Amino acid sequence: MTDRQEPKAQVDAAHFFAADIRVGLVLSVDSFPEARKPAYKLRVDFGPLVGELATSAQVANYPAGELAGRLVVGVVNLGKKRIAGFTSECLLLGSYDTEGVVQLLSPAPESSPGDVVG
């Protein structure tokens, strides 16, 4: 996937606004050798109303130490998904660069875990 991907079909705005997108703080980063593609297991704090959620993210292009303590943007209401025996509870958002590598979206530095993105 690259930035040259064709636009997707139009959707009703209600579909977008149904997604609960929030700022999170990466608390921990663990290796995930069972995943088919290089990935980490992350624990992310989405603030007091959502709490901590686990996710698997194909962001092995980032050193683990660079991810821990980083603010990220994630969707927290997509339900749970099993990935190689691991339960992922949220989806971190990023863009694909021209090489197809994920570049995580970053909120403003003054954002706090749990802030709503909209």
Side-chain angles (χ1 to χ4, degrees):
M1 198 176 289
T2 69
D3 64 342
R4 307 281 186 246
Q5 184 179 9
E6 290 294 320
K8 295 179 181 179
Q10 296 288 310
V11 297
D12 187 281
H15 293 288
F16 174 79
F17 291 112
D20 190 354
I21 306 171
R22 296 184 183 249
V23 173
L25 175 68
V26 177
L27 300 175
S28 65
V29 182
D30 294 309
S31 62
F32 193 11
E34 301 86 2
R36 281 184 283 164
K37 295 182 180 179
Y40 291 121
K41 295 177 186 176
L42 306 175
R43 190 114 194 113
V44 183
D45 176 12
F46 286 101
L49 296 178
V50 175
E52 294 180 19
L53 298 176
T55 189
S56 167
Q58 294 176 3
V59 292
N61 52 304
Y62 291 92
E66 188 179 313
L67 290 171
R70 179 187 175 122
L71 288 175
V72 293
V73 176
V75 184
V76 300
N77 67 335
L78 296 176
K80 296 178 182 181
K81 182 177 180 183
R82 295 287 291 174
I83 301 169
F86 175 75
T87 301
S88 186
E89 302 170 305
C90 61
L91 175 69
L92 298 188
L93 300 180
S95 62
Y96 291 98
D97 65 19
T98 57
E99 303 297 317
V101 177
V102 175
Q103 303 299 324
L104 288 170
L105 297 185
S106 297
E110 57 273 9
S111 298
S112 297
D115 287 354
V116 174
V117 176

